[in-house]
Amino acid sequence: WLKPCWLKFGSSPKGVTLASGGSPATQPPAMSSMIKSIWDYRLNIDKEFQGWILMFATVTAAFLACLPCYCAGLSFAPARRFAGWLSQRLPSFYVFISIFNFVFLLLVSQWMPDWSFGLYIIVMLKTVATTLKHILDCATSIAIIVAFCIAVTFKDRIAQLLGFDHKTIFRFKVRDCLSCFGTTRFRPIQLSVWKVEDLKSADPFLANNVFVEFFLGYNEKVTTRVHNNAGSSCTLKEHLQLNFDEDDEEEILHIFVRNQKVLGTSELARQEVSAESLKKMVRNARAYGDQMRWTDEFF
């Protein structure tokens, strides 16, 4: 019978146990020991900080799942190209990222001394259920807030859809408080209307009775006179005056070409001039002075 003994190989001692049959029993492979050391690792931190770490890990996993959408919205050209490359391989990407997130959250929860992956799943399910319950309880309030945000965000589109985007309902802005409701910031400008051309026919049996309307900021509506039986084109040659605030970048000059009917009016054409474009037109008009003529050179 042979007894266990220790043998030295080279400069580093390693233990070899000789069994009764004479064959040595080898140690576990290095990969298994490394996996076991990773699995058995624990962070020595307070329980409160463990919850915060798990929360940030959950947010990170959710961010990685939304990576294609995030990269597509960046102005960095390589990020957009990477998003385009991912969009052609979305099934493979989500399979990979799902496995990665599972392993990532499994290891993070395993490294927390007071947590386990099963406990993490239970807490997440309870959190989702509680959140949904509170959302249902506050559904009416949430719907009102969402509707208000949509109305504020798309107020211009909604006003245009309802047909009063050009009208000023409330003649008040926050900047009015900063100027103590003074009117010194307004300056008079003169609009010169020469002609309109290529108008559509409002009525196939009648010629258009053309006039032009202007809406600008706090000003009341101003119009040209009605030119009866004008048809598809009309020479107006009229001057109109308005107050204009050069420092207000939100003011838009709305121009409507309308047809007067027996009852009401109909729109033939419309155009919007931004505040920046209107300021350029005013500066160009100063160069002409009183030498304005009804020719293409001045329009």
Side-chain angles (χ1 to χ4, degrees):
W1 296 92
L2 295 177
K3 296 182 179 179
C5 64
W6 292 94
L7 300 177
K8 291 185 177 180
F9 296 91
S11 59
S12 58
K14 293 185 179 179
V16 178
T17 302
L18 296 179
S20 58
S23 60
T26 59
Q27 290 182 337
M31 182 62 70
S32 300
S33 62
M34 183 179 66
I35 294 175
K36 186 176 186 301
S37 63
I38 293 175
W39 184 258
D40 294 337
Y41 176 75
R42 295 294 183 273
L43 288 173
N44 187 19
I45 57 176
D46 295 336
K47 187 174 182 180
E48 178 184 357
F49 296 113
Q50 296 176 32
W52 282 104
I53 291 175
L54 282 173
M55 185 186 72
F56 284 117
T58 304
V59 173
T60 302
F63 172 77
L64 292 176
C66 301
L67 189 62
C69 299
Y70 175 76
C71 292
L74 295 177
S75 58
F76 191 49
R80 294 199 302 271
R81 287 196 293 268
F82 177 67
W85 182 82
L86 285 180
S87 64
Q88 300 175 358
R89 302 165 177 83
L90 281 181
S92 302
F93 168 77
Y94 281 115
V95 169
F96 169 78
I97 208 66
S98 298
I99 297 174
F100 177 84
N101 284 339
F102 174 78
V103 175
F104 172 65
L105 294 174
L106 176 65
L107 290 177
V108 172
S109 59
Q110 185 67 24
W111 290 340
M112 301 298 114
D114 299 306
W115 287 79
S116 65
F117 188 68
L119 179 60
Y120 167 76
I121 294 296
I122 293 174
V123 171
M124 287 298 299
L125 292 177
K126 288 183 178 179
T127 303
V128 172
T130 304
T131 304
L132 291 177
K133 181 179 180 298
H134 284 85
I135 290 176
L136 292 176
D137 294 339
C138 305
T140 304
S141 301
I142 293 174
I144 294 174
I145 294 173
V146 171
F148 175 77
C149 294
I150 292 175
V152 171
T153 305
F154 300 99
K155 62 180 185 301
D156 296 333
R157 296 289 184 181
I158 296 173
Q160 185 176 1
L161 181 64
L162 297 177
F164 55 85
D165 56 313
H166 55 283
K167 297 181 180 179
T168 303
I169 300 175
F170 300 103
R171 289 178 171 82
F172 171 79
K173 294 180 180 179
V174 176
R175 64 193 310 270
D176 294 335
C177 300
L178 302 178
S179 61
C180 297
F181 298 93
T183 59
T184 55
R185 67 180 188 274
F186 294 102
R187 55 163 299 178
I189 60 173
Q190 180 173 274
L191 303 178
S192 299
V193 188
W194 181 18
K195 60 183 178 180
V196 291
E197 296 177 331
D198 300 328
L199 298 175
K200 66 181 181 179
S201 177
D203 191 327
F205 303 103
L206 296 174
N208 292 329
N209 300 316
V210 178
F211 68 98
V212 183
E213 286 182 344
F214 296 90
F215 296 85
L216 177 63
Y218 292 171
N219 293 276
E220 293 293 335
K221 174 183 67 175
V222 294
T223 65
T224 65
R225 70 177 181 86
V226 179
H227 294 256
N228 296 315
N229 300 320
S232 61
S233 62
C234 178
T235 301
L236 301 169
K237 291 186 178 180
E238 296 188 36
H239 300 287
L240 304 168
Q241 293 185 344
L242 293 169
N243 292 323
F244 177 51
D245 182 5
E246 293 184 345
D247 297 326
D248 191 348
E249 298 181 354
E250 297 181 357
E251 283 195 355
I252 298 177
L253 175 62
H254 297 271
I255 306 173
F256 295 88
V257 181
R258 297 187 180 276
N259 170 55
Q260 186 184 60
K261 301 188 294 184
V262 176
L263 183 62
T265 63
S266 61
E267 182 179 312
L268 299 176
R270 65 182 294 169
Q271 181 64 40
E272 295 180 359
V273 181
S274 64
E276 185 64 29
S277 299
L278 189 56
K279 284 192 287 188
K280 290 181 181 178
M281 295 169 64
V282 172
R283 286 195 295 265
N284 293 335
R286 290 174 184 168
Y288 297 136
D290 297 332
Q291 300 177 358
M292 197 276 292
R293 299 290 184 270
W294 301 107
T295 60
D296 292 333
E297 180 184 356
F298 297 90
F299 289 88

